[in-house]
């Protein structure tokens, strides 16, 4: 059985993430969605909430589980026996951010990163933009799985 890890902050999970996880699942028997700490970001939603929302969103996808990455991503990949990390690329900015991480992860343990290009109709969806729209009262319900817009509204104190 082949396993891949789809890592990220998932703050919050979006339709873009789900697209990448489905594409990963089409290539690997088992996909572990790894919710990790990005040292460069302060999450809006706490870890338990990010895990809960991702589990609800992915509940109907066989062969996919959601777990917390407690430390280094490469150590987590070794623990779950992942053959690869899978990440989505929306464009050049993603490429510039992702390639150094892929190279560092391969330097650390030899784990490879497989990049997938997602649905271009979802290329504008980023968790950071979704939060910005929600923060200012915009409707994000068609950008995220069910329940996420309400969670953002609650996090922003009832707006959104
Ligand atoms: O969704 P993001 O924020 O772009 O995902 C980045 C993430 C969380 C996958 C990355 O920061 C990460 O792997 N964090 C875990 C700690 C780690 O392994 N850091 C070294 C990365 S080269």
């Amino acid at each position: 059985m082949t396993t891949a890890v789809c890592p990220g902050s998932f703050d919050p999970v979006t339709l873009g993430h789900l697209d990448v996880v489905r594409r990963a699942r089409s290539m690997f028997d088992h996909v572990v969605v790894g919710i990790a700490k990005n040292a460069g970001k302060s999450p809006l939603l706490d870890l338990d909430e990010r895990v809960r929302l991702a589990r609800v969103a992915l509940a109907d996808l066989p062969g996919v589980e959601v777990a917390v990455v407690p430390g280094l991503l490469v150590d987590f990949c070794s623990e779950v026996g992942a053959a690869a990390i899978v990440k989505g690329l929306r464009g050049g900015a993603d490429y510039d951010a992702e390639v150094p991480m892929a190279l560092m992860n391969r330097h650390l343990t030899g784990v490879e990163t497989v990049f997938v290009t997602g649905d271009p109709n979802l290329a504008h969806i980023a968790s950071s933009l979704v939060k910005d729209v929600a923060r200012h009262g915009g409707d994000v319900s068609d950008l995220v799985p069910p329940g996420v817009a309400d969670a953002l509204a609650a996090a922003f104190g009832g707006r959104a």
Side-chain angles (χ1 to χ4, degrees), residues 7-11 17 34-41 69 71-75 87 97-98 100-102 104-105 108:
S9 305
F10 297 95
D11 182 43
H17 289 128
I35 303 193
K37 170 74 184 161
N38 182 332
K41 297 180 183 172
V69 177
L72 271 183
L73 177 60
V74 291
D75 292 340
K87 289 221 86 175
E98 296 295 341
M101 289 194 277
M104 179 57 77
N105 287 328
L108 291 170

Side-chain angles (χ1 to χ4, degrees), residues 4 13-14 19-21 25 30 32 37 53 83 141 145 149:
V13 63
T14 69
D19 180 49
V20 171
V21 173
R25 181 64 183 86
H30 180 219
V32 184
K37 170 74 184 161
L53 291 169
S141 57

Side-chain angles (χ1 to χ4, degrees), residues 20-84:
V20 171
V21 173
R22 283 193 198 97
R23 290 176 198 283
R25 181 64 183 86
S26 75
M27 295 185 287
F28 294 88
D29 301 315
H30 180 219
V31 172
V32 184
V33 172
I35 303 193
K37 170 74 184 161
N38 182 332
K41 297 180 183 172
S42 295
L44 170 71
L45 303 174
D46 68 29
L47 185 60
D48 287 349
E49 182 73 332
R50 284 180 279 149
V51 169
R52 185 186 71 78
L53 291 169
R55 284 198 175 129
V56 169
L58 291 161
D60 293 339
L61 202 51
V64 175
E65 67 176 297
V66 178
V68 172
V69 177
L72 271 183
L73 177 60
V74 291
D75 292 340
F76 181 78
C77 289
S78 299
E79 279 160 29
V80 301

